[in-house]
Amino acid sequence: MSDPQYVNREDEVQLAKLLRASGPWMQRHGTSLIYVAAAVLAASAVYVYVSRQPPATARESALLLAANTPEQYADAADNSVGTPIGNYARLREAEMILQNALSSLFTNRKVGTEELDKAEKTFKRLEDSRDLTNDIRLRLLVGLARIAESRCDGQEASVKTAVEAWDQVVTSFPSEKTFVELAETRKKKLDQQSTKDFYAWFQKQDPKPADETGLPQDGPGNVPPVPQFPTIDPLKNLSPTLTPGTPAEEPKAEEPKAEEPKAEEPKAEE
């Protein structure tokens, strides 16, 4: 009985007996079994579909669309941390804080400096987020570069920091022509001595709300003088024949023209 053919034959016989024995049961419960199997497959399909769908974002989207202040954008970002909606809301929060900071630097230096620090922290917080799109990362780098330049005091160290920040924009997104041109322009400006002189002067100022002019009749505001800018050569566009110290020739007065004698009219014959 150890021959394999007998073993296989016995297995086939047992299988046939099992099928014959289960025939009546399948006739009674076959339909129910099919329904149960179909229900299990349907439930599995629904589970797989739901598990692969992104989470609902109706509430987060509503918060983002309704936001128009840094605080409201912060609320929208806090409710969608790590999502595209949350990242964009955080970017708008940082950009609005930065814009407020730059305006305050001219009217209230203390508040402007505090808002500048807050803007940098918000940008840095966004930088640590995951799954940032290229558009958001580009605007993030531009924002950090603007902060670096606004802190420039005309000294080599701060100028170098600002230039490196704009360089980061160029090297990270060389195909973004508009922003690359902006970065290159700012780098050239920062290299000019007149720009360094202005930033050195500007950082020494400490404007306060009380320094602002209320009405035109109140007179000029308490604003320190702006540093001297390069002078303009008034002789640059004059004729090359004229040199400094050489008086220009006065135009000659036109001589009156002699009146031509009028021809006598012929007299009529009597």
Side-chain angles (χ1 to χ4, degrees):
M1 292 294 181
S2 61
D3 195 328
Q5 65 179 352
Y6 292 105
V7 176
N8 293 338
R9 180 66 177 173
E10 184 178 355
D11 292 341
E12 292 177 0
V13 172
Q14 293 295 332
L15 179 60
K17 289 181 179 180
L18 179 61
L19 291 175
R20 284 196 299 270
S22 62
W25 186 90
M26 289 294 295
Q27 290 178 356
R28 291 194 303 270
H29 305 288
T31 303
S32 299
L33 182 62
I34 292 174
Y35 286 154
V36 170
V40 171
L41 291 175
S44 301
V46 171
Y47 173 78
V48 172
Y49 175 79
V50 172
S51 63
R52 292 183 177 181
Q53 293 302 306
T57 59
R59 180 175 180 274
E60 291 79 2
S61 299
L63 289 174
L64 177 62
L65 293 174
N68 54 21
T69 65
E71 293 76 17
Q72 291 173 342
Y73 278 113
D75 185 31
D78 292 338
N79 280 275
S80 307
V81 177
T83 66
I85 291 178
N87 292 338
Y88 181 77
R90 189 72 68 196
L91 173 68
R92 292 295 298 131
E93 176 195 2
E95 289 179 337
M96 293 191 73
I97 295 174
L98 174 58
Q99 192 61 39
N100 293 339
L102 296 178
S103 298
S104 297
L105 288 175
F106 290 88
T107 57
N108 192 332
R109 183 58 57 89
K110 180 181 179 181
V111 172
T113 303
E114 292 174 354
E115 289 183 334
L116 204 62
D117 294 339
K118 185 178 179 181
E120 182 181 29
K121 291 179 181 178
T122 307
F123 276 118
K124 291 292 186 181
R125 184 178 179 183
L126 176 62
E127 190 176 25
D128 296 334
S129 301
R130 56 186 177 87
D131 299 332
L132 292 181
T133 63
N134 287 337
D135 291 340
I136 292 180
R137 190 172 297 279
L138 171 60
R139 290 167 62 175
L140 164 67
L141 293 177
V142 172
L144 292 175
R146 293 176 66 192
I147 292 175
E149 183 171 351
S150 64
R151 287 174 171 164
C152 182
D153 59 1
Q155 302 300 316
E156 290 300 325
S158 62
V159 172
K160 181 180 179 182
T161 300
V163 170
E164 289 176 349
W166 285 115
D167 266 334
Q168 187 68 24
V169 176
V170 177
T171 56
S172 299
F173 296 92
S175 61
E176 294 291 341
K177 184 177 179 181
T178 301
F179 289 96
V180 168
E181 290 179 354
L182 171 64
E184 294 293 350
T185 300
R186 297 315 308 158
K187 287 165 56 180
K188 291 179 182 178
K189 289 289 186 181
L190 287 166
D191 191 49
Q192 296 175 2
Q193 187 60 43
S194 59
T195 304
K196 297 177 183 178
D197 292 342
F198 172 79
Y199 278 127
W201 167 84
F202 185 73
Q203 291 297 335
K204 294 178 182 178
Q205 312 312 313
D206 187 20
K208 299 179 178 63
D211 297 336
E212 296 179 1
T213 302
L215 296 173
Q217 59 265 29
D218 295 335
N222 185 19
V223 179
V226 181
Q228 184 67 34
F229 286 98
T231 57
I232 300 175
D233 185 3
L235 303 177
K236 182 177 180 180
N237 296 325
L238 294 181
S239 173
T241 57
L242 296 179
T243 57
T246 302
E249 295 182 0
E250 297 182 358
K252 296 181 179 180
E254 294 184 359
E255 297 180 358
K257 296 181 180 180
E259 295 183 359
E260 296 180 357
K262 296 182 179 180
E264 294 184 359
E265 297 180 358
K267 295 181 179 180
E269 295 182 358
E270 295 181 357

